[in-house]
Structures are given as C-alpha cells and as structure tokens.
Amino acid sequence: MRSLESRFIDHYFTAFHTLHYTIIDGLCGLVLKMTSMSLCDSCYTEGKQTTVLKYCTNCEDHLCNDCADSHVRAKDFKSHDIIPLTASIVTKNCSDHSEMPIDYFCTHHDVLCCGICVSSGHKTCQNVMSLELASKDVKSSALLTDIRQEINHLTKTLNQLNHNRQANFNSLTKKKVDILQQLSAIKSKIPEEKNDDLENKLITELTSLQMKHKAVINEAIKEIAKLLARLKESENKICLLEGNGSNSLLFLTLHRQAMNLQRFEDKVRDMISKIQEVSITLEESRNMSLKPFGKVVTTTRPCEIQWNDNPKKLQQAQSIIDKSRQIVGFEKESEITLKSGVKYELYGVAVTRDNKLLLSNYQYQHPKLFVYRDCKDFQTEIRFSSRPCGVAVIPETDIAVVTIPEETSVQFVNTTNFTLDMKVDVEFNCYSITAVKDQIVVGGFSRVKILRTDGSILQNIHFPDSRYPICWRILYDEVTRHITVKTDYNLYCIKSDGTLVYTMDGAGIRGISADQQGNIYFTHNRTGNINRLSPDWTISEEVPNKNHGLVDARSGAMTFNSDFTKLFVINKIDDKSVFVYKCIY
C-alpha cells in the first residue's frame, strides 16, 4: 500500500498541473489573438487571406471556419478530426498518454515524457529532468537558433523552387508563341488549303500539351505556397512565444517543430526529385510533301534546383554531454540496411560532424565510399581508382581521409560536395587511419606514420613486433600521444617514438574505438559483446548491452558519432547492414 504522504503528494501535483496548464491555455489564447498572420491553407492557395481558426489533425491543414465546414462535408474527409487552433499551437499532453501532462524531458532519448512514460520506459535513464529545468535556458539555446536556421534554409530552397516553376511556366507560354510564329512561316511556303486542317490539328495538340504541363507546374506552385505559408506560421508562432510565452511552452513548441521540420525536409526533397524542367518545340518535317509542318516534341530534364542538406543540425537545448561522464551501457536502436545491388566488403566506418555515415568498401568491383544522410538514408557514393580501406574524419572539418593500400596513398575527400581532394603518397601499404585536429595517423605493414592535416609527413614509426604484422585498426590519444594498434595477433599501445607501453591478446578483436575519457571499446568474435578497456589497460570489462544484435559474434569496424551519443558497428554476417546503438550514460 502506498503511504498517505505519497497519495497526498500525487494529489498536490495533479492540482498544480491543472492550474499550470490552465494558465498555459490562457497564454495560447493570447498568442492566437495576437497573430493575424496565420492564414487558412485552402484560402491561401486561391489568393485569399483568411484567418485560420481550425486545424485538421489528419491532413495537418490549417483552416478557416468555412473551409473547416467544407472539409468535413467532403466524402473522403468525413472521419477527419477538426480541432480549434488553440489546441494545435502546442500539444501539452503526452502523445502516448493523452490524459497525462508532459512533466519531464529525457536527454538521453531526446523525448518529452509524462510520469507514466518515465516509470515505464525511462527507468534506467540517468538523464531525466523536469520540464522546468530542461527548458530553463531555451530562449538562448542552440535548439532555438538551429530551428530558425532550418526554417530559413527551407524557406530559401522553396523560394528558389517557386522561382524555377514560375520561370518554366512562363517559358511554356513563350514557346507556344514561338511555335505559332514558326508554323506561320512554314505555312506561307505551303499555301494548299488542305494544310489548314493539319495546322489546326497541330495547334490543338500544342495547346493541349501546354495546358497539361502548365497544370502540373501550377500544382507544384500551389504546394510550394502552402509549405511557405506553414513555415511562416511556424516562424511567427516561435517569435510570439519567445516574446510572450513561458520557457516550458516554448520548449514544447520547439520540440514539436523539430519533428515537423524533418517532415518538411522530406517533403521538399521528394518534391525536388520529382519536378521536371519541361520544354515544347516544333520539329519541322524534312519532307513537307509527305508530312507538312512537322510534329510537336516535349523534352524534359531534372530540375536545376538541387536539395542541399542544412549543415547545421537541430540540437537540444541542453549543453553537450559532460566529458567526465562515462558510458554505462548500450541499447540497440536500429539496423541500417545498405543499398542493394552492390557487392560489399565493408572495412572502414566514420561519422561526419553533420551526421553523415561514411562506409568504405574494400571490394574490387565496387571500390567506393558510401554516404548515408542522417546516418540512415543512402545519399551518394564516391568511386575510387583503387579499393578504399580505412576512413576517418578530421574533427571540426568537412574533410574525410581514406587509405588506398594498393596506391600506398591517403585520399582526402570533401564531405560537403563529395569530391576528391588531394592525394598523398605515404610510401607504404597503409590500411588503418585515424585523425585528430592537427594530425593524421596511418598504419600498415609494421609501420605507423603521422601526417599533418596538409598531407606532409611528420613522423615514421617502426612497429615493435618481429612478425611484421599489419596494423588493421588504429587509434590516437591526443593527450597522451599514445597510439593503439590492432594487428592479427595483438592489441598494442605504443608511444610516438615506437616504445611499447601495453599489450594484450587481440586475435579475436574486430573493431576498436575510443570515448572521450580514453577508454577503448572493442568487439570480440568469440562473444559478440562490446567490451571496454580502461586507459591504463588494467581493467577489461563487458559493457551492459541490451539486444546487442551482433549475430554469430561477427562484427566489423566501429565508431562513435561526434557527440558520443551513438555507436555504429558494421555487421560482418553479410556486409549489408550497420548496427546502431544508443550510448547510455
């Protein structure tokens, strides 16, 4: 039985939250009254400016009263839920437990929670804080800045796309005028009366094609206008809450906006991929006696406006994870299925500062570096002249470095525009690579070399092992200047002059990576577990790992992302997927 004191506290907090959210409801009403810039989506596409009062939760459309009434009268939309706009400004209750208010924020999972969520799904999370504490500095947070930048990025792209569609629409009008003049010139050379019917048929075909393509362009223009209006409304809402709302209300709104903006981004990217630049021309007949005039030809090409990812990703309002905190466990989050139709022999893995996953394919037929946007969706691939092996990213830059063993070289890659930069000959077959702010370290047959980030060689280190092993994996501690190397036989720690510091059996070790405290993490073929080795190499322990997913214990290279919230491990069962783990602190 729960104590009387516990029940009293529950009753007190229920009453408090009721009062708290009554105040928030009043504020939402104030925000609605203050904004005359929120416009009905349906009216806006028809050139009208009608104040929005309702919201369809199914279509995500903002509607005036008249359009809301028409919406639910339509046969296909009878079951849709239309709610007052005040309720759509921000959802104050939990999405999973609608009767419960949002009281907490889990920084580990980056989610808003109610009391039930915390007790059922976040018991082991050590970074659950109250909504009041989480939102304390939201008005000066990176989250607010980043969402504004993302809105600006989307708005700029949509404006460019709108200009492109308007230009294509106008060009079709001009093309029709040009073709009619062309027909007139041809007709003056062929005065037969029978050609009038052929001319009229050609003009009818031309008009039909023009109207068809213009209708498609008009639909795109309307959709762009609708998206721009929604972005403007989001921007206005944020501005109003920043000036007049509480921290917690703004925090809730920003997190909802972050999810909405991701959907916006997907929609804009999809729209751009489907848009075609259309042109109509008259191809004159070579034999006027057989086929007078000619035929109308439609040509298309991909839209000249290309989607470019916003380099600034949305961040939490909280500060970056404290470097003093240690990872206490891992939880399998997902499995990235790789692009089909490729022969894989994945060797290296790295993550850029803008969250692109890089995978090097050490395979003869497909010597490529594969790029996955947001560490989940295939984006592009970069082909090399020879098989790429190890890959690393130079911290705080957009440059990756890749080893090319067969060319005894290190290739620099621009991860913003996916182009190859300079290539540096390191004069030995280099396989492994790692990078810190000012140095690059590569390993190969019994040797390790340290390079500057401009490609010049700083140091040549001969390896302290008489068996001439290959340095398959390599790490570099910027503070101690110690280098960790994984060979066929052992795991070594050496100084920059080649002096041996530590060694241990490494025959079954596959991938290795290091956290912010210098702990070394590795996977082992015999167990399939993720293990941790302390910086002084005195403690080697298995890290708790829920649903590890390392099938048959066959894992490959591994790496943390830039903020050490996730760990990526190549699945070597069939080389067609990558495991993603959340780091639990």
Side-chain angles (χ1 to χ4, degrees), residues 253-270:
T253 302
L254 290 176
H255 275 270
R256 301 301 185 198
Q257 292 291 355
M259 291 185 288
N260 290 337
L261 288 176
Q262 182 59 57
R263 289 194 288 268
F264 260 85
E265 183 178 305
D266 294 340
K267 186 174 288 188
V268 174
R269 185 188 293 113
D270 182 63

Side-chain angles (χ1 to χ4, degrees), residues 123-173:
K123 283 182 178 178
T124 61
C125 299
Q126 298 183 0
N127 303 304
V128 177
M129 60 179 69
S130 69
L131 184 61
E132 286 72 24
L133 179 60
S135 63
K136 185 179 68 170
D137 299 318
V138 68
K139 292 185 179 180
S140 59
S141 68
L143 178 63
L144 177 59
T145 301
D146 292 350
I147 283 184
R148 279 191 170 135
Q149 288 186 356
E150 183 66 13
I151 289 174
N152 290 338
H153 174 63
L154 285 164
T155 301
K156 180 180 178 182
T157 303
L158 285 169
N159 281 326
Q160 290 174 340
L161 197 58
N162 183 63
H163 179 75
N164 172 274
R165 295 295 77 209
Q166 295 284 359
N168 199 176
F169 187 93
N170 294 336
S171 71
L172 287 174
T173 302

Side-chain angles (χ1 to χ4, degrees), residues 457-491:
I457 295 175
L458 278 174
Q459 201 164 354
N460 198 347
I461 304 168
H462 288 280
F463 204 68
D465 192 322
S466 59
R467 289 174 289 186
Y468 297 101
I470 297 177
C471 303
W472 292 115
R473 309 286 179 196
I474 196 164
L475 300 173
Y476 184 49
D477 190 314
E478 205 172 1
V479 177
T480 64
R481 300 285 176 174
H482 287 176
I483 302 167
T484 300
V485 175
K486 191 272 174 197
T487 69
D488 289 318
Y489 321 107
N490 293 308
L491 193 66

